[in-house]
Amino acid sequence: MANTAKFPMTNSAAKTTNPNTSMASATTLTPIEANITLPTTNHTSVNTNVPTMTPISASSDVSTMDPTSEITATPPASTVFDLEMSVRLQKEYTPQLGNATSPVYKELKSMVDPVLKEQYKGITGFVSVSVKQFREGSIIADFVVQTTQVIPDEMAEANQKLPQTMKPIAPVIGSVSAFYNSPTSIMIPNLTYTGSSMKLTCGPPPENIDVGQIYESEWKFQELTIRNGGRIEIVIDDNVSVLTVNNVILADTGPYKCTLRGRAMDFLQVGVVTEAQIKRAPNVRLQSEVNVRCTERQRSFPLKCCVQHPYTVKWFLGIKGLNTTSTDDAESYCITYNHWLQNCSGSQEEKIHFICRVDNPLGLEMTTTMTFFSNNVTCNDDHYGTGQVGDRSVIGCDKGQEGSKTAVCESTTKWKPEKDTCIITIIKELLIYSQDLVVQEVPKFVENVNQAVMQDKKQVPNLSATVSAVVIILNNIADASTAVDETIMQNVLSTVAVITGEDAMKSWDILNANATSNTSSELLYSLETLSNKLVGEFTIKIQHILLNRTTFNNSFMANLNSSININIPNTNMSNVFITTILFSSFNFVMPARMSTSELNTTSNGTVTDSVINAHVVLVKINATIQNVTLSYVKLNNSLTLNPQCVFWNFTLFHNLGAWDDEGCTLVTDINNTVTCNCNHLTSFSILMARDIPASLKETLDVITYIGIGISMASLAVCLIIEGYIWKAITTNSTAFMRHVSIVNTALSLLIGDICFIFGTSIAKNPAGADFNFLCSTATFLMHFFYLALFFWMLVSGLLLFYRTVIVFPHMSKSTMLATGFCLGYGCPLIIAAITIAVTGPGNKYFRKNYACWLNWTETKALLALVIPALTIVLTNILVVIVVLFKMLKRTVRVTVQREEKHTLVVIARCVIILTPIFGLTWSLGVGTMISTANRGIHIAFAFFNSLQGFLILVFGTLYDSKVRVIISSRTTTPSTGFSNNNLRLARVNVTTGSVRQYLDPTEAEQAVQFLQDVTSVYAIVRKFAVSPSTVSGGQR
């Protein structure tokens, strides 16, 4: 909207201390025709078309008047004044009386004029009197008394006697109205800037026009009465009335009218404030707080200051003007000063204050504080510049906006927005304008608001201060309105659609987090107020808003956009108006706080785990309803916990408002549809838990920590056992790689669990300055080691596949070890590093609530764990299927020795058991992120998560018979006999060297002898035994 856009004048706003400019001398206006309302001073008020007349002398030519009705007296040699008067006759008005040439008009005029002359000829200074016109309203006779002087008592007495003298013609209704229409203008300042004050002076009457004691003044703007209050101040002093308009806006231009009510008559004066007399004030834009790093290479720092045309500015340091360079564009004039710092020595920060001053008008200036530092830069971006942790940067708003933006440098190397007061200038003026809106102004004003919002519909939703201003405007519109038709409501809803779209989501998050703001509640209140004042039947559909106003008899049913069903049965009423408004986007506009929630002391939010899980519907009716059923289709079908049927209660939390369930009950929750029943009508929706209940959360925390404790203990035992039996168990390359995989699997899970506990403790205490760094570090380590867990399981699967299927020669231990570590730690490191590099900017790598973990809602960083893990699970399952198929076909390589076969069986068992369990556990973990309120998923995840370490200990280590034998042999009490454990050991194919290594000398010799005997028997059996596949023709 252009700066010259006009809309009705407001009558109140915030006061300002800015002085107004000098007053202009009175200006004589040319005669104009105006419809005016005659003042009422203990007599009847009537309307008349009255010409604004200039004074005439006694010798002036008055021949232009009707000669038949002109009544004159000998005038004194002085100025003649016209006194406008009117009297109402109780006589039927006919159209001929409106025609001055008609016989009826002339007849009545000839009867009235002599009576008027007789009545007023006795007043001092009387010149003439004549009827000017007859108007409808019974018959209103307007007449002009010309006189050179007005004495209040004489005029009052004449007016009082006139009704009696008029009785022969017609009875008089009420009393006589009399006023003097001043030929001079209201005194208006030559120039006033927006935001300052403007004083308009009415009176005093001329010295020879004594209107009597002035007891009241009335001001009008564009024929609408101006009320005293808000930004308007009206003061009467010594026959003068002064109207002060504070916080002036461009829309304050236009015609003003002042009436001073006196005992004998009224004094009228008019004046016009032109567009040239109100100019938009300079809007200076600069960075008011600047932080710069001084180095030997860079000691020159630019400062920029801009102002809109036609103004100009200059930079000052104290009282000294600075040399600058200027640039111009179509809208702004900008200057740049390059400040040169002589040296960067000194350990303390240095601050310098610069002033950007407007050339004309004088007195308008803004200050920039430049802070220098020599340490390394923490934060740096194109908007807020450089800074260290804790530094503040304040920048100006964009063109066409007023206010500023403040941000704080955090340890995350990012500037965190702290305050944003940027408001579009035209919206600010509309806000000021709306404070004392009157009903006559509403239709045009609503149209202007909608045009302004639609013109900047890309910027408006992204500016929280502007959104808040629009809501206040809508609230003022609702208060000023009496009857709202379809056109007004269409403009209102079109405006609401802009400030409640998806683009405004961030703005509403900011507004709802403000401890003193109830903007969302005010928006809903204004819409409820307007819906109560609707007239007519109509339907409006705008983007995500659907309004329907209709009537019903006895019962009402409606399906609103297939998302909400309303049923009002058996009311026993007819021709009842009902209004329904469906808001599809109010689930993020309205906060989810409940009446039972605990209000946060530092924000407008509440301690709640609920979310609005349906559209918001407003239902209004011009009757009392005690039974209404509403069925809502859920927005998020994964939320299944604790559905609550609620309405918005504006009075809760000291008028901040909250959802309340009083009078509403839950009927059913079936097939993603929640049905409620309420005994009243207002704005409704449903709340549902987006997280598990606090009581269950505490229980799950206990289960999780106990389970992780058991898991970590099991993993520690597993690592100890592996170290204890390492030399004895890794007798070949296959066994060696199997145990390397088990050790690294256990180690990865153990370190990952430690990081999980660390990250949880950080998330529960997020107030620290290093929170983002610590939380992102814990998340990265968890991501890396949990991925390593799966990749080492992949190493086990590939080892099994290699030793049973692939027919290539054996790889050396070193080659296998290098391959294993590349897969086990190299791949996880690459994936984790890429993930944090892509999602790290903006702190969107991790979630911050409950525990530090990969972000899901904003960047889907969790997929960097889910996809590799599930891929490995599927790969290992395929490996197991292939190996089993080969074994069933008996095509396993004959080169695999008996001892390696045992190892491969153990590997296969681990892969078959552990891979599905790990996959299931982490699939459930993803489920807890996606379906945060599902109790079953949370319980199952806590259970399986606690089993991981224990299962690695059991199936990866203890279930291996070789491990058990070695442990048993080392823990058996020495004896001279050959124990059962020794016999068990003898059944295993081990070397005599191994026996001598693990038994005492006596037992070793016995075991060696026993093994030699067994070996001899085994050789004889093999010599004569024949494989069933080679048996033929009865050979044995």
Side-chain angles (χ1 to χ4, degrees):
M1 184 179 294
N3 292 343
T4 57
K6 298 296 294 295
F7 40 87
M9 173 186 168
T10 178
N11 296 323
S12 67
K15 297 181 181 179
T16 178
T17 59
N18 293 342
N20 64 298
T21 57
S22 61
M23 301 291 292
S25 58
T27 304
T28 302
L29 302 181
T30 57
I32 59 172
E33 289 290 326
N35 267 328
I36 64 171
T37 300
L38 295 180
T40 58
T41 308
N42 298 325
H43 45 255
T44 305
S45 173
V46 296
N47 293 329
T48 181
N49 290 326
V50 181
T52 303
M53 303 180 68
T54 57
I56 60 175
S57 66
S59 60
S60 297
D61 183 9
V62 293
S63 60
T64 55
M65 295 186 179
D66 188 345
T68 63
S69 61
E70 183 71 17
I71 301 170
T72 63
T74 303
S78 59
T79 303
V80 177
F81 297 97
D82 289 351
L83 303 181
E84 310 276 353
M85 294 189 175
S86 64
V87 63
R88 185 188 298 270
L89 304 178
Q90 189 175 352
K91 192 177 181 69
E92 183 178 357
Y93 179 83
T94 61
Q96 290 86 348
L97 290 175
N99 183 1
T101 62
S102 69
V104 176
Y105 177 90
K106 291 180 179 180
E107 180 183 0
L108 182 59
K109 182 178 177 61
S110 64
M111 296 170 60
V112 173
D113 279 346
V115 176
L116 295 175
K117 176 186 176 184
E118 185 66 26
Q119 188 62 39
Y120 289 100
K121 68 180 181 180
I123 65 175
T124 303
F126 175 78
V127 176
S128 68
V129 61
S130 66
V131 171
K132 188 171 63 174
Q133 65 177 358
F134 294 110
R135 294 182 289 115
E136 188 175 3
S138 295
I139 296 178
I140 299 173
D142 296 327
F143 59 97
V144 177
V145 176
Q146 289 187 329
T147 182
T148 60
Q149 187 177 357
V150 175
I151 299 175
D153 291 339
E154 289 182 353
M155 186 62 67
E157 183 180 358
N159 290 341
Q160 188 175 4
K161 291 180 179 180
L162 182 61
Q164 185 66 30
T165 58
M166 280 288 185
K167 275 188 177 181
I169 301 173
V172 173
I173 301 174
S175 56
V176 179
S177 297
F179 63 90
Y180 171 70
N181 197 353
S182 175
T184 60
S185 169
I186 294 170
M187 293 183 66
I188 301 170
N190 288 329
L191 180 61
T192 303
Y193 291 97
T194 56
S196 61
S197 298
M198 177 176 66
K199 288 187 177 182
L200 307 181
T201 304
C202 175
E207 292 182 359
N208 54 351
I209 301 293
D210 189 353
V211 299
Q213 182 181 359
I214 295 176
Y215 61 90
E216 183 184 24
S217 67
E218 180 186 70
W219 284 85
K220 290 186 176 182
F221 175 72
Q222 295 181 348
E223 294 302 323
L224 297 175
T225 301
I226 303 174
R227 300 184 184 91
N228 193 2
R231 72 185 185 111
I232 299 297
E233 297 177 7
I234 301 176
V235 178
I236 302 176
D237 184 26
D238 193 22
N239 288 340
V240 172
S241 178
V242 178
L243 169 70
T244 302
V245 182
N246 296 307
N247 205 2
V248 169
I249 58 177
L250 295 179
D252 289 333
T253 58
Y256 289 80
K257 182 186 294 185
C258 168
T259 302
L260 300 179
R261 303 196 187 282
R263 184 174 62 86
M265 60 188 302
D266 296 339
F267 174 81
L268 267 65
Q269 200 169 26
V270 298
V272 178
V273 178
T274 64
E275 293 181 358
Q277 291 173 305
I278 296 182
K279 292 180 63 176
R280 191 179 300 282
N283 180 21
V284 179
R285 304 191 314 275
L286 50 72
Q287 188 170 355
S288 57
E289 291 190 30
V290 184
N291 305 278
V292 294
R293 180 174 181 243
C294 181
T295 63
E296 292 302 323
R297 291 185 176 181
Q298 183 178 2
R299 288 187 287 170
S300 177
F301 307 101
L303 290 175
K304 189 176 183 179
C305 179
C306 296
V307 68
Q308 83 271 26
H309 287 305
Y311 303 103
T312 56
V313 289
K314 290 180 181 178
W315 276 114
F316 289 85
L317 182 57
I319 61 173
K320 178 185 177 183
L322 304 175
N323 294 325
T324 60
T325 57
S326 63
T327 56
D328 279 299
D329 59 27
E331 299 178 5
S332 302
Y333 171 82
C334 297
I335 59 171
T336 302
Y337 167 67
N338 287 298
H339 179 69
W340 175 263
L341 199 64
Q342 293 183 355
N343 61 74
C344 297
S345 60
S347 58
Q348 295 185 350
E349 295 180 348
E350 182 181 1
K351 295 181 182 290
I352 302 179
H353 304 283
F354 300 89
I355 298 173
C356 182
R357 187 171 295 154
V358 179
D359 292 330
N360 187 26
L362 299 176
L364 200 155
E365 60 187 35
M366 291 187 68
T367 301
T368 290
T369 300
M370 181 177 284
T371 302
F372 300 94
F373 62 91
S374 56
N375 297 328
N376 291 333
V377 171
T378 304
C379 303
N380 187 8
D381 69 17
D382 295 335
H383 296 288
Y384 294 101
T386 59
Q388 300 181 106
V389 175
D391 285 346
R392 273 181 171 76
S393 179
V394 182
I395 63 175
C397 304
D398 296 335
K399 294 178 182 178
Q401 302 174 14
E402 299 179 24
S404 62
K405 298 179 182 179
T406 304
V408 179
C409 178
E410 294 190 328
S411 59
T412 59
T413 72
K414 300 297 179 183
W415 287 102
K416 179 183 178 181
E418 184 180 60
K419 188 177 182 181
D420 186 348
T421 61
C422 292
I423 180 172
I424 297 174
T425 301
I426 187 63
I427 299 296
K428 177 186 174 182
E429 294 194 351
L430 287 166
L431 172 62
I432 296 172
Y433 185 72
S434 69
Q435 299 302 314
D436 281 327
L437 200 63
V438 296
V439 62
Q440 297 94 328
E441 301 171 311
V442 168
K444 182 61 177 177
F445 180 73
V446 172
E447 181 182 350
N448 290 332
V449 172
N450 184 46
Q451 288 177 356
V453 171
M454 295 302 294
Q455 181 174 332
D456 290 315
K457 64 181 179 180
K458 291 185 178 180
Q459 291 188 16
V460 169
N462 297 312
L463 301 171
S464 58
T466 301
V467 171
S468 179
V470 172
V471 171
I472 297 173
I473 292 171
L474 293 174
N475 204 31
N476 293 333
I477 291 172
D479 291 340
S481 302
T482 55
V484 180
D485 58 21
E486 181 178 358
T487 302
I488 294 176
M489 202 62 187
Q490 178 90 21
N491 285 321
V492 168
L493 294 183
S494 178
T495 301
V496 172
V498 173
I499 63 172
T500 59
E502 291 184 0
D503 294 342
M505 190 178 298
K506 186 176 180 180
S507 293
W508 285 108
D509 288 341
I510 295 172
L511 293 170
N512 288 332
N514 190 322
T516 59
S517 171
N518 62 342
T519 306
S520 55
S521 185
E522 287 291 334
L523 175 60
L524 192 59
Y525 173 80
S526 65
L527 292 169
E528 285 202 12
T529 303
L530 288 167
S531 67
N532 284 329
K533 301 176 180 180
L534 291 177
V535 291
E537 296 185 35
F538 51 86
T539 299
I540 299 174
K541 187 173 183 180
I542 300 176
Q543 295 178 5
H544 41 266
I545 301 175
L546 174 64
L547 179 146
N548 181 47
R549 177 172 167 82
T550 185
T551 58
F552 70 89
N553 296 313
N554 189 37
S555 61
F556 175 80
M557 292 186 66
N559 184 321
L560 305 182
N561 208 24
S562 301
S563 59
I564 297 179
N565 286 313
I566 303 175
N567 182 18
I568 303 176
N570 304 323
T571 62
N572 296 321
M573 295 183 290
S574 60
N575 199 30
V576 179
F577 276 98
I578 184 170
T579 301
T580 60
I581 310 179
L582 178 71
F583 303 104
S584 301
S585 62
F586 270 37
N587 57 303
F588 65 78
V589 172
M590 305 302 298
R593 57 176 175 263
M594 273 288 292
S595 57
T596 55
S597 301
E598 178 186 351
L599 189 65
N600 195 312
T601 57
T602 59
S603 72
N604 197 8
T606 50
V607 182
T608 177
D609 292 324
S610 297
V611 65
I612 302 173
N613 199 28
H615 297 322
V616 175
V617 60
L618 187 159
V619 185
K620 284 293 182 179
I621 194 172
N622 61 341
T624 301
I625 297 295
Q626 296 183 343
N627 181 17
V628 57
T629 301
L630 302 106
S631 296
Y632 306 89
V633 176
K634 294 179 184 178
L635 297 177
N636 186 349
N637 296 335
S638 66
L639 299 181
T640 59
L641 292 180
N642 194 25
Q644 295 174 284
C645 302
V646 292
F647 71 97
W648 187 258
N649 189 334
F650 294 97
T651 62
L652 295 176
F653 296 118
H654 305 290
N655 296 322
L656 283 178
W659 295 104
D660 196 352
D661 60 359
E662 183 177 353
C664 293
T665 56
L666 175 67
V667 179
T668 59
D669 180 8
I670 303 173
N671 296 329
N672 298 320
T673 300
V674 176
T675 302
C676 304
N677 184 267
C678 298
N679 59 14
H680 55 86
L681 295 179
T682 181
S683 297
F684 300 98
S685 191
I686 58 170
L687 295 182
M688 298 192 71
R690 61 180 172 187
D691 208 340
I692 54 178
S695 57
L696 180 59
K697 189 183 299 181
E698 293 176 1
T699 303
L700 288 175
D701 285 345
V702 172
I703 294 174
T704 299
Y705 286 122
I706 292 176
I708 288 180
I710 295 173
S711 179
M712 291 172 65
S714 300
L715 293 170
V717 171
C718 176
L719 293 174
I720 293 172
I721 292 175
E722 288 292 334
Y724 185 63
I725 65 171
W726 185 261
K727 290 185 179 180
I729 203 69
T730 56
T731 56
N732 57 68
S733 60
T734 303
F736 174 78
M737 281 306 301
R738 181 188 99 74
H739 286 278
V740 167
S741 298
I742 288 295
V743 167
N744 283 281
T745 300
L747 186 62
S748 297
L749 182 57
L750 178 61
I751 298 176
D753 286 345
I754 293 173
C755 293
F756 171 78
I757 295 174
F758 177 66
T760 303
S761 64
I762 294 173
K764 290 183 177 179
N765 299 280
D770 296 330
F771 167 73
N772 290 328
F773 172 74
L774 294 176
C775 196
S776 60
T777 301
T779 302
F780 176 82
L781 292 175
M782 280 188 287
H783 187 198
F784 171 71
F785 283 108
Y786 286 144
L787 276 176
L789 164 74
F790 282 95
F791 273 95
W792 278 109
M793 288 301 300
L794 176 63
V795 171
S796 296
L798 294 179
L799 178 64
L800 176 64
F801 183 81
Y802 166 71
R803 297 300 292 159
T804 57
V805 177
I806 299 178
V807 225
F808 295 116
H810 288 289
M811 285 190 293
S812 64
K813 271 188 181 181
S814 59
T815 302
M816 295 175 68
L817 191 62
T819 303
F821 272 87
C822 286
L823 278 176
Y825 291 121
C827 292
L829 181 61
I830 293 172
I831 295 173
I834 293 175
T835 304
I836 194 172
V838 172
T839 63
N843 293 327
K844 296 180 180 180
Y845 171 59
F846 57 93
R847 55 179 289 191
K848 306 176 184 67
N849 54 333
Y850 305 126
C852 297
W853 187 229
L854 294 170
N855 194 306
W856 171 257
T857 57
E858 295 177 296
T859 59
K860 299 295 186 292
L862 184 60
L863 292 176
L865 173 67
V866 174
I867 293 176
L870 294 182
T871 302
I872 291 171
V873 170
L874 293 175
T875 301
N876 277 1
I877 290 174
L878 291 175
V879 167
V880 170
I881 292 173
V882 171
V883 169
L884 290 176
F885 179 78
K886 291 289 185 179
M887 287 183 173
L888 291 174
K889 292 292 186 177
R890 301 191 63 83
T891 57
V892 179
R893 292 185 291 119
V894 294
T895 58
V896 177
Q897 299 177 359
R898 180 181 299 275
E899 186 176 352
E900 284 189 287
K901 286 184 178 179
H902 170 82
T903 302
L904 293 175
V905 170
V906 174
I907 295 174
R909 187 165 53 215
C910 288
V911 172
I912 292 171
I913 295 173
L914 294 182
T915 298
I917 291 178
F918 288 167
L920 176 62
T921 300
W922 289 101
S923 296
L924 291 171
V926 175
T928 62
M929 300 284 291
I930 299 174
S931 183
T932 57
N934 193 304
R935 300 187 186 194
I937 293 178
H938 278 274
I939 294 172
F941 175 69
F943 174 74
F944 283 102
N945 191 41
S946 65
L947 291 179
Q948 289 185 103
F950 179 73
L951 293 176
I952 290 175
L953 173 64
V954 172
F955 293 102
T957 302
L958 296 180
Y959 205 62
D960 187 346
S961 58
K962 285 187 179 183
V963 174
R964 296 199 306 274
V965 168
I966 295 173
I967 294 173
S968 176
S969 67
R970 292 192 176 189
T971 56
T972 302
T973 303
S975 61
T976 56
F978 201 43
S979 63
N980 291 333
N981 288 332
N982 300 136
L983 290 173
R984 257 187 233 108
L985 180 62
R987 295 192 190 105
V988 184
N989 183 20
V990 296
T991 63
T992 56
S994 297
V995 174
R996 289 191 175 93
Q997 182 179 358
Y998 292 106
L999 301 180
D1000 59 46
T1002 304
E1003 286 186 327
E1005 290 301 323
Q1006 294 176 357
V1008 170
Q1009 183 62 44
F1010 177 81
L1011 288 174
Q1012 290 174 348
D1013 294 339
V1014 170
T1015 303
S1016 300
V1017 173
Y1018 177 74
I1020 295 172
V1021 171
R1022 283 198 64 183
K1023 184 175 181 179
F1024 294 97
V1026 180
S1027 172
S1029 61
T1030 60
V1031 175
S1032 61
Q1035 291 181 347
R1036 177 59 80 183

